[in-house]
Amino acid sequence: MAEWLEVGANNYVLTTEASLLNTGLIVGADRAMVVDTGCGPRQGREILDEVREKTALPLVVVNTHAHFDHFFGNAVFAEAGVTEFWAHENCANPIGQRGDLQRRHVRVLEPQMSAGIGENVELVVPNAIVRDQPVLVDLGGTIATLFYLGRGHTDGDLLVGTPTTLYVGDLVEQGAHPSFENSYPEEWADVLRHISALRHRYEFLIPGHGKPCSDQFVKTMADTMTTALRQARQSIRDTPNDATKAIPVLPYGPEQSRWFIKRLQETGRNPQEIR
Ligand SMILES: [Zn+2]
C-alpha cells in the first residue's frame, strides 16, 4: 500500500511498497516536482497515479542518483508528458552509459523492466543537468533548490531543498544499513556532517528509504561511519593481506561491511596507508 505523509506546506512524501522507496512531491502554483520515480513501469505508474490524486499540475522530475529504484520509473512520467528530468551530471551520465546493466536487479519486482519488453521500459536519461553550483527551480511561488554536497552514497547524489523540507535520497537511509556498493565512504561521512550543519534550515529531512529523520539520526549515522573508517583502517593495517578480517568488527551487516572495505580500498584518500 502506498502511503502519503505531509511534510511542510505543499511538501509531501509518498512511500511505495517495493523497498519502501520515498518519493518526494513539492507542489507550486504552476508546476509540481516529483523526486524519484521507482524501479520500473509498475511502481512508476503507482507513483504517478498517487501524484495525480494530489495535483493535476504539469510535473517535473528529479532523480536523486543513478540507482534503479530511483529512476527506472521515468518512462511512465515521460509518457505522461514530463519533459524536464533533473539530475546531477554524475547521475545522468551513468544512467545513459550503463543504466541497462541495472535491469538485472528488478527481475522479481519488475519483470518487464528487467527483460526490456513492454510499455515504458526504456531508460529516460535526465536532460536537465546540475553540476557543482546549486540550481533553483521555480514551481510558481515555491522554489526548489537542487544542490550537490560531494561524493557519498554515489558520486552523483543530488539534494532537493524547499523552505520546509530537505529530500536527501540515499545519502540517508532509515531502517536499513547504508548501501556502500558505489559509495565513497570517507567523503560520505563529511557529506553527512554537512547535511547535519544545514539541518536548522529545514523542519523535515526525508531519506531515500524509511521514515523522516531527526538531526540526531544524521549525526549518529555520520559518527558511526567515522568509527567504521577508523576500525577498517586499523584492521587493514593489522592484516593487510586479508582485509575481510575487519568485517565482524564493523557496525554494519556482513554484506555492507564487505562493500565498505572494498570501496574504502578503492577510493580511500590515503591508499598507501590502507594497502
Ligand atoms: Zn541508492
Side-chain angles (χ1 to χ4, degrees):
M1 277 293 289
E3 192 181 318
W4 280 109
L5 189 65
E6 187 165 5
V7 284
N10 300 316
N11 281 241
Y12 304 91
V13 57
L14 173 70
T15 305
T16 40
E17 206 170 6
S19 61
L20 295 179
L21 175 73
N22 287 331
T23 293
L25 175 66
I26 305 151
V27 182
D30 303 326
R31 304 192 289 174
M33 176 176 278
V34 174
V35 183
D36 289 337
T37 60
C39 64
R42 183 195 53 82
Q43 194 180 16
R45 168 58 57 187
E46 184 184 6
I47 291 168
L48 178 61
D49 288 347
E50 289 286 341
V51 165
R52 284 306 180 210
E53 295 287 319
K54 289 277 179 210
T55 177
L57 288 172
L59 303 175
V60 297
V61 163
V62 177
N63 298 131
T64 56
H65 63 290
H67 283 158
F68 63 92
D69 46 336
H70 300 262
F71 74 89
F72 268 8
N74 283 4
V76 170
F77 288 82
E79 187 198 47
V82 176
T83 57
E84 208 173 299
F85 290 84
W86 288 93
H88 189 268
E89 62 178 339
N90 295 343
C91 169
N93 291 339
I95 289 175
Q97 290 159 10
R98 302 185 295 279
D100 279 318
L101 295 176
Q102 295 190 54
R103 288 184 191 270
R104 63 198 162 88
H105 297 308
V106 295
R107 273 189 207 122
V108 177
L109 286 172
E110 300 269 1
Q112 293 197 326
M113 190 71 194
S114 180
I117 298 165
E119 280 182 23
N120 299 323
V121 297
E122 66 275 22
L123 297 184
V124 174
V125 181
N127 56 4
I129 301 303
V130 181
R131 295 186 173 84
D132 290 344
Q133 292 301 312
V135 170
L136 275 56
V137 180
D138 188 352
L139 303 173
T142 296
I143 304 265
T145 306
L146 313 184
F147 62 104
Y148 181 65
L149 294 178
R151 304 191 293 189
H153 173 67
T154 68
D155 61 357
D157 301 293
L158 197 60
L159 296 90
V160 181
T162 75
T164 56
T165 307
L166 182 61
Y167 299 89
V168 298
D170 288 359
L171 286 169
V172 178
E173 269 192 66
Q174 188 274 335
H177 289 305
S179 298
F180 291 108
E181 287 93 321
N182 305 116
S183 73
Y184 296 78
E186 292 179 322
E187 291 158 81
W188 193 351
D190 293 341
V191 169
L192 288 170
R193 280 182 223 295
H194 200 153
I195 291 172
S196 184
L198 294 174
R199 188 65 177 81
H200 65 281
R201 295 191 197 172
Y202 305 97
E203 198 176 336
F204 300 95
L205 186 141
I206 308 303
H209 307 269
K211 305 244 178 284
C213 295
S214 65
D215 185 29
Q216 191 53 51
F217 184 92
V218 178
K219 282 196 176 118
T220 301
M221 189 175 165
D223 289 345
T224 302
M225 216 173 276
T226 301
T227 303
L229 286 165
R230 197 167 51 234
Q231 290 168 329
R233 288 196 195 103
Q234 184 62 47
S235 291
I236 291 164
R237 268 197 298 274
D238 290 350
T239 53
N241 298 323
D242 185 9
T244 59
K245 289 249 163 63
I247 289 171
V249 179
L250 295 180
Y252 304 115
E255 170 76 6
Q256 286 310 324
S257 296
R258 192 168 289 118
W259 279 111
F260 183 90
I261 292 163
K262 183 173 190 311
R263 291 298 293 171
L264 180 60
Q265 288 178 308
E266 287 169 358
T267 67
R269 289 172 186 143
N270 299 306
Q272 73 283 3
E273 175 189 301
I274 61 171
R275 286 264 153 71

